[in-house]
Amino acid sequence: MSAVFKTDETFRGDFKYSNSPAAIRRFPLPFVEDKYMYSVNIEPHEAGPKGSIMEFQFDVDEHYIGECRDREIVLKEDPLRYQALPHMMSAQWDVLELLMDSMSRDYPGQFSLSKHGNRWTWHNKLLGIKDEFTFGDPSTLPREPLDYITRQAQGDFVVMDQRDGDLYLEAGMVTTPADWSMDFDLGMTFKEWHGPVPLAHELNVFDRALKFLLNLRLNEPVRRLNWTMTVNPRLDTSPEFYPRWGSDRATVTPDNVADKAHVRVELQGLWRLPRSNAVLFGVRCYLISIRELATIPKWARRTHRALRDLHPALVDYKGLTRYRDHVVNWLAPLDDGSPTTPGNSPE
Amino acid sequence: MSRSHSHTFAVTVTAITQVTPLIKHFVLKASDGSQLPAFSGGSHVIVVMKGASRVHRNPYSLLSSPSDLSSYEIAVRRADPTRGGSVFMHDHVTVGMQLEIAHPVNLFQLDKLARKHVLFAGGVGITAIAAQLEDLKMGSVHYELHYSVRGPEHAAFADRLVKRHGDRVRIYHDSADQRIDIEGLVAAQPLGTHVYVCGPTPMIDRVIASARAAGWANSHIHWEQFSAPPVGEPFDVFLQRSNITLSVPPDQSLLEAIEDAGIDAPYLCRGGVCGECKCRVLEVDGVLVHNDNYLSSEEKASGALIMPCVSRAQGKKLVIDL
């Protein structure tokens, strides 16, 4: 995507954030049919259509600069949003290599990487960063490798070590969580850190997902979409700062709902890492206001139906209880009852 | 690196050495000259061999250093009784030939939280351990290898290991009646030690039994025991979902027969270890011959599941959910 990179977006305070028409059209609507329920909706993370958010392994879009800036603000105030246990160093280098290789290959105008043996030079033109370092030697980078590279990437990153038939959350950069805390979950097994998710345990979703991920192969990453809603285009909806955003839910009214309520979609990717045999879990977050979403007639109808008929346990878990009705009521006049085409494309 | 189809890429054999009377050593480089994919110690690759009448896909451990990606090294023991892949590797593969391999998979990885690593290897089992030693050499945690070989003429890898790792490696020659004191070594380890073993079945069983007897947690005991698909009696199988009947000859595995029929079945290790190919048995007139190390004894006894990569049926009819 030949995006124009915005330079003055904010995800807090004055919330200076919007999607261009092109960004709206490539938004990954999570409702692939008129109703929504969990499924093990995992598919190969292969190159999607040109310009789509799945064209490349790691999507870089018009919000890049603002998102990186917001991450710096979070980390300054709460440094524990980045953590890595000591035995995760080889996995840190794996992630750095994967991100640098992918971003420089897919966005050569914005990022470049040159390698002379283990001497690497990384140039991030969007953020004005240029560093030469020795791959494998943490003392040659200004920060730990995972910290360094994920400050220059959109989305959260979690690294899971594989041992004893399980995956342990033992490193990560999480500044845009949908109300979960990596600091709390650090060291947990796969099922432990997914403990709060309702219904899915009864459906054995995590048994199947874990079994699948334990055999995840190199060079065959997978992805899935997940979603929730957020009041205001706020990225950091963390339990650590709940007092700052929890009460936002009470500010939604029939008059402001279209601009305040946002659908938040997570493109979740999973990669086997080569040197550490760990698994990288990437959570790339997309925000769209109800007003922006409704510029696509099919999406207005689809979203109206999916939210109206959402399972009560999910309404509660996703934190929508207080304002779901406002959203549904605002979308209702845009739903003439006509059928929607299969899939989540704009038409 | 170019990918010839979805799961494999082309490598060229650049050197072959007969390292022991039964083992040949192969050096593989990416056919397009690029760097090979990174991997971790304990990984294997599936080598796809296109024989005259049949395609073989065998798993071989990568024994070269994970920090040198200019080439991969594998070692192949000639199987006896002769069956498929290893014979092809020994008799038909020559320098300059191209092979297809899949990306490395690690089902035998080092535990990164171990306070100490003690490794046991017997014979060609050293191939699964060799690259782990390279990873350990780069780290700061103590490790030691106890490696048993038949005799000096079988010890080509031993010299190389001693050169690389010095007194962290101890070699035992069966011919000189040198035996590893597995029980004594295991019992003497400090808390937090992890043990790894790859070798003949009795050796693996002894290491596991010794560690359990010494009160070790299962999480600290690691082994790799790839089964080659054994030769068996011919049988017929009906694939319910594909609606097709196949004949599995004595020297072909159920998985290979399924693949030969053009049906894309899941697999990862092809050695009865990982569980990826596990398949539901819908009907069997006869007995299932389970050769895997994945299913529990209860699951094997139930007759409801089979691992097509190494296991087969003996009898008139087998129906599976594929």
Side-chain angles (χ1 to χ4, degrees):
Chain A
M1 172 166 125
S2 50
V4 176
F5 293 93
K6 301 180 181 184
T7 57
D8 58 350
E9 284 192 318
T10 57
F11 297 89
R12 57 187 66 230
D14 59 355
F15 292 109
K16 199 158 174 244
Y17 172 87
S18 65
N19 287 291
S20 66
I24 293 174
R25 288 189 65 80
R26 73 200 293 273
F27 186 81
L29 191 79
F31 311 120
V32 293
E33 51 186 359
D34 286 353
K35 59 182 188 301
Y36 175 81
M37 183 29 85
Y38 291 132
S39 57
V40 183
N41 54 340
I42 298 178
E43 62 178 4
H45 189 25
E46 290 166 349
K50 197 168 162 45
S52 75
I53 65 153
M54 294 163 184
E55 179 179 5
F56 300 123
Q57 292 286 290
F58 299 94
D59 183 41
V60 176
D61 70 6
E62 62 185 21
H63 310 297
Y64 176 85
I65 293 169
E67 289 191 28
C68 291
R69 196 178 290 145
D70 198 68
R71 167 156 292 163
E72 294 290 341
I73 295 170
V74 175
L75 287 166
K76 202 163 181 186
E77 207 175 354
D78 190 3
L80 291 179
R81 300 301 189 84
Y82 166 77
Q83 295 190 60
L85 298 183
H87 62 280
M88 300 301 279
M89 188 49 81
S90 63
Q92 290 202 34
W93 287 108
D94 275 333
V95 177
L96 176 136
E97 179 182 40
L98 177 63
L99 281 165
M100 285 188 176
D101 277 349
S102 306
M103 291 165 78
S104 59
R105 179 188 61 230
D106 299 334
Y107 301 93
Q110 286 72 39
F111 309 97
S112 76
L113 176 67
S114 65
K115 300 180 183 176
H116 300 282
N118 283 340
R119 289 301 292 170
W120 291 19
T121 305
W122 167 250
H123 190 186
N124 178 337
K125 290 157 205 165
L126 288 174
L127 299 181
I129 294 170
K130 190 169 187 178
D131 282 300
E132 195 185 325
F133 61 96
T134 304
F135 185 83
D137 180 356
S139 72
T140 60
L141 275 174
R143 301 177 183 282
E144 288 193 343
L146 181 64
D147 189 5
Y148 177 82
I149 195 58
T150 55
R151 281 175 193 253
Q152 302 177 49
Q154 290 170 273
D156 285 342
F157 295 89
V158 163
V159 191
M160 296 176 283
D161 188 35
Q162 181 160 340
R163 58 177 189 270
D164 202 18
D166 212 326
L167 294 167
Y168 292 81
L169 192 171
E170 290 178 330
M173 170 71 83
V174 178
T175 64
T176 73
D179 202 6
W180 71 280
S181 165
M182 185 186 70
D183 185 37
F184 184 79
D185 290 351
L186 197 71
M188 286 190 183
T189 65
F190 187 75
K191 281 190 215 164
E192 284 167 354
W193 72 282
H194 287 98
V197 182
L199 307 178
H201 293 274
E202 290 77 1
L203 298 170
N204 289 326
V205 166
F206 294 115
D207 284 322
R208 281 179 287 157
L210 175 62
K211 183 178 171 295
F212 179 84
L213 292 177
L214 289 172
N215 280 348
L216 185 67
R217 300 178 211 211
L218 271 183
N219 208 39
E220 295 180 33
V222 296
R223 67 178 171 230
R224 67 182 285 263
L225 291 179
N226 195 14
W227 72 279
T228 184
M229 290 189 73
T230 302
V231 179
N232 297 321
R234 186 190 296 275
L235 284 172
D236 183 18
T237 47
S238 57
E240 283 86 348
F241 290 158
Y242 184 81
R244 294 185 187 175
W245 58 270
S247 58
D248 287 355
R249 293 164 179 168
T251 66
V252 182
T253 66
D255 294 331
N256 67 19
V257 63
D259 299 302
K260 264 203 178 272
H262 286 69
V263 174
R264 174 193 153 113
V265 173
E266 295 176 354
L267 171 60
Q268 304 182 338
L270 291 141
W271 291 260
R272 171 70 64 191
L273 299 173
R275 292 177 180 77
S276 57
N277 206 38
V279 172
L280 171 66
F281 178 48
V283 184
R284 176 72 167 82
C285 178
Y286 297 84
L287 290 167
I288 193 168
S289 70
I290 294 296
R291 188 182 302 283
E292 288 172 336
L293 183 147
T295 60
I296 310 285
K298 168 182 162 184
W299 290 359
R301 300 202 298 277
R302 171 71 59 79
T303 305
H304 171 245
R305 294 166 199 176
L307 290 179
R308 181 191 62 200
D309 303 333
L310 194 62
H311 190 290
L314 294 185
V315 173
D316 181 53
Y317 172 65
K318 292 177 187 290
L320 316 182
T321 312
R322 294 192 76 126
Y323 62 94
R324 194 249 319 232
D325 288 349
H326 293 321
V327 180
V328 171
N329 292 339
W330 193 88
L331 287 169
L334 303 174
D335 184 358
D336 58 5
S338 62
T340 54
T341 53
N344 63 352
S345 66
E347 274 86 33
Chain B
M1 196 175 46
S2 59
R3 297 214 291 170
S4 48
H5 62 86
S6 64
H7 299 319
T8 64
F9 56 94
V11 291
T12 303
V13 179
T14 59
I16 302 175
T17 320
Q18 184 90 41
V19 289
T20 78
L22 286 174
I23 298 172
K24 272 191 176 181
H25 173 266
F26 299 81
V27 178
L28 313 171
K29 287 183 187 288
S31 297
D32 65 4
S34 63
Q35 182 171 280
L36 289 158
F39 67 100
S40 47
S43 297
H44 70 270
V45 292
I46 301 288
V47 178
V48 184
M49 296 159 266
K50 291 178 179 125
S53 60
R54 149 178 323 171
V55 177
H56 305 285
R57 292 181 183 82
N58 284 21
Y60 295 111
S61 295
L62 292 177
L63 60 97
S64 45
S65 169
S67 50
D68 177 9
L69 302 175
S70 62
S71 61
Y72 286 164
E73 296 174 36
I74 59 172
V76 179
R77 185 177 191 278
R78 197 187 167 94
D80 191 31
T82 59
R83 186 208 158 272
S86 71
V87 172
F88 183 90
M89 288 297 290
H90 271 257
D91 296 351
H92 298 287
V93 173
T94 53
V95 170
M97 224 169 119
Q98 225 176 64
L99 295 167
E100 294 283 315
I101 66 173
H103 275 74
V105 169
N106 198 342
L107 302 171
F108 188 43
Q109 75 169 105
L110 293 166
D111 190 297
K112 298 186 193 78
L113 293 179
R115 303 290 184 86
K116 179 182 175 185
H117 303 271
V118 176
L119 306 103
F120 294 98
V124 76
I126 192 62
T127 58
I129 301 264
Q132 292 183 328
L133 293 173
E134 291 294 324
D135 274 347
L136 291 172
K137 195 177 163 63
M138 306 287 288
S140 55
V141 177
H142 187 77
Y143 66 96
E144 61 189 50
L145 167 70
H146 300 272
Y147 175 28
S148 153
V149 295
R150 284 199 213 171
E153 77 278 17
H154 290 273
F157 289 115
D159 299 339
R160 166 176 155 160
L161 292 169
V162 170
K163 258 186 212 138
R164 289 283 296 158
H165 304 280
D167 60 6
R168 299 198 165 195
V169 171
R170 200 167 150 201
I171 313 295
Y172 303 74
H173 295 290
D174 289 353
S175 56
D177 211 28
Q178 297 165 342
R179 303 273 179 241
I180 307 178
D181 175 18
I182 292 175
E183 290 77 8
L185 282 164
V186 168
Q189 295 308 319
L191 207 62
T193 304
H194 281 245
V195 69
Y196 307 81
V197 55
C198 188
T201 306
M203 179 186 221
I204 294 175
D205 292 346
R206 263 182 72 199
V207 170
I208 295 170
S210 305
R212 286 188 180 147
W216 292 37
N218 284 334
S219 58
H220 289 48
I221 311 169
H222 312 268
W223 70 93
E224 182 155 80
Q225 187 172 33
F226 275 15
S227 325
V231 173
E233 290 176 19
F235 63 99
D236 285 348
V237 57
F238 179 66
L239 311 184
Q240 176 105 335
R241 276 185 278 146
S242 311
N243 192 26
I244 180 174
T245 298
L246 305 173
S247 296
V248 184
D251 61 345
Q252 193 177 34
S253 73
L254 175 52
L255 177 61
E256 288 167 334
I258 291 166
E259 288 169 339
D260 270 8
I263 290 155
D264 199 12
Y267 71 82
L268 200 58
C269 76
R270 303 183 80 89
V273 177
C274 74
E276 186 73 9
C277 71
K278 183 169 82 176
C279 189
R280 285 206 304 139
V281 173
L282 302 174
E283 201 184 324
V284 59
D285 180 6
V287 291
L288 299 174
V289 184
H290 293 290
N291 298 308
D292 63 275
N293 295 302
Y294 180 82
L295 295 176
S296 66
S297 35
E298 295 79 41
E299 285 173 318
K300 286 179 182 175
S302 78
L305 295 166
I306 191 168
M307 312 292 295
C309 70
V310 291
S311 298
R312 33 197 319 126
Q314 220 170 41
K316 289 211 179 79
K317 192 181 177 192
L318 172 67
V319 181
I320 60 174
D321 182 25
L322 200 73

